[in-house]
Amino acid sequence: MALPVGEDRTTLFARLGSRGCDIGHRTSLRDVGSLSLATLGARCAAVERVGGTPSAAATTLSLHAEQSRNNQYARNIDDGLAWVTAADSAISSSVTLLRRARDLTLQGANDGALDATAKEAIAVELEGIREELLANANTSILGRSVFAGTSDAGAAFTADGTGGYAFTGEPGSSVQRRLSDGVTVRVDADGAEVFGTGPDSVFALIDDIVADLRSGQNVAAHVGRIDERSTSMLSAQGAVGARQSQIERAKGIAVDTSVSLETRRAAVEDVDSVEVLVQLQAQELVYRSALQVTGRVLQPTLMDFLS
């Protein structure tokens, strides 16, 4: 829709503001040029509608506060999902690697069918599995390990230089995310529980198997240790999966809440755009008429050019 003669959007913005319509509380002069006349009028009418009723003003303030809080919960949920998904993926991969390690250990235990060269090949593959397990154990989100609790160490497990592996996590700590009012959930996993520590760690276990293969000792006894570590991993994976399901349910609730709050806000703040447009057109007609009358009354004279 065309603007009145001699008036741009900035002038209209100021004129609407002088009529008690504070559309500038969310729209700057810099942005007003991109708004249509109907949009400016709609915002004006919405503010006047809410401001004219104290109860409506209180309601809209409350709704905006609820929307802000729900948006924060939604961000927490997305972040929490990233954490539990990373932990679940790392544990799942580690379980698969341990299954392969178990198969290789059973093969290596067949002393009568394997010579030293074959056992060395198994040992080399097991060393590769150990490195992959270590990489999984050091999975991180934005520089923070998902298996080290609240520790700010970049890696949950590090080689100590003596053939051992040190756990750098904070014992007994956990990373929490608030999903809604009064509801928090753990989003990390206990690295010590999943991978073990010291000589009982899965990394030390693989090293023991490799050492026995190369020294000619039978490795059948290590199969039971692998099974124990696999059981611990599966238990941890189940716990992480349960928390992941909880967070996903919370995400659905947050989405529904967002829709509900926006519907309630619109019922209080929004106006009928067609009605506003008709009113603006009527005001524009009056304004144009006033400009034309003023232009005829204030006709320039010869004295205007001589002064």
Side-chain angles (χ1 to χ4, degrees), residues 39-307:
T39 301
L40 288 172
R43 291 194 178 184
C44 178
V47 173
E48 288 180 339
R49 178 183 178 186
V50 173
T53 308
S55 61
T59 299
T60 194
L61 288 174
S62 176
L63 287 172
H64 280 296
E66 289 186 49
Q67 285 182 314
S68 178
R69 184 165 55 251
N70 189 67
N71 289 339
Q72 181 60 58
Y73 289 147
R75 289 190 291 270
N76 293 348
I77 289 170
D78 288 340
D79 183 64
L81 273 178
W83 276 72
V84 295
T85 300
D88 180 73
S89 177
I91 297 174
S92 178
S93 174
S94 297
V95 169
T96 300
L97 289 170
L98 268 188
R99 291 197 184 107
R100 177 56 181 167
R102 187 181 192 278
D103 292 341
L104 291 172
T105 301
L106 286 174
Q107 292 178 27
N110 191 353
D111 294 332
L114 298 177
D115 57 15
T117 301
K119 288 187 176 182
E120 176 61 24
I122 293 175
V124 170
E125 184 174 350
L126 284 171
E127 287 178 328
I129 289 175
R130 180 199 61 207
E131 293 305 312
E132 290 186 64
L133 286 169
L134 188 59
N136 287 340
N138 289 327
T139 298
S140 63
I141 295 290
L142 298 177
R144 291 189 59 188
S145 172
V146 299
F147 294 111
T150 57
S151 172
D152 59 359
F157 293 89
T158 58
D160 59 15
T162 63
Y165 301 88
F167 177 58
T168 62
E170 191 69 30
S173 66
S174 63
V175 178
Q176 305 279 336
R177 290 292 180 269
R178 184 175 294 278
L179 308 183
S180 61
D181 292 343
V183 178
T184 59
V185 65
R186 181 176 186 176
V187 297
D188 68 328
D190 188 345
E193 176 186 349
V194 177
F195 298 97
T197 59
D200 294 326
S201 71
V202 66
F203 321 112
L205 170 58
I206 299 297
D207 283 344
D208 290 344
I209 298 172
V210 169
D212 286 349
L213 282 170
R214 286 173 173 163
S215 65
Q217 298 185 41
N218 190 277
V219 295
H222 295 299
V223 174
R225 295 175 61 193
I226 293 176
D227 290 340
E228 290 177 2
R229 183 48 53 196
S230 294
T231 299
S232 297
M233 285 187 178
L234 289 171
S235 176
Q237 185 179 25
V240 170
R243 295 197 295 270
Q244 185 175 18
S245 296
Q246 180 183 359
I247 296 174
E248 288 174 346
R249 289 193 299 271
K251 184 177 180 67
I253 293 173
V255 170
D256 292 341
T257 301
S258 178
V259 173
S260 175
L261 289 172
E262 179 59 22
T263 300
R264 292 166 58 192
R265 183 208 61 77
V268 176
E269 291 186 349
D270 289 0
V271 295
D272 187 341
S273 298
V274 175
E275 178 184 355
V276 171
L277 187 58
V278 171
Q279 293 176 357
L280 281 174
Q281 287 175 332
Q283 293 176 13
E284 181 188 13
L285 179 60
V286 173
Y287 186 63
R288 282 177 178 273
S289 299
L291 288 177
Q292 291 174 358
V293 170
T294 302
R296 291 172 182 174
V297 171
L298 300 178
Q299 291 290 339
T301 65
L302 182 60
M303 296 301 296
D304 292 327
F305 296 99
L306 295 177
S307 59

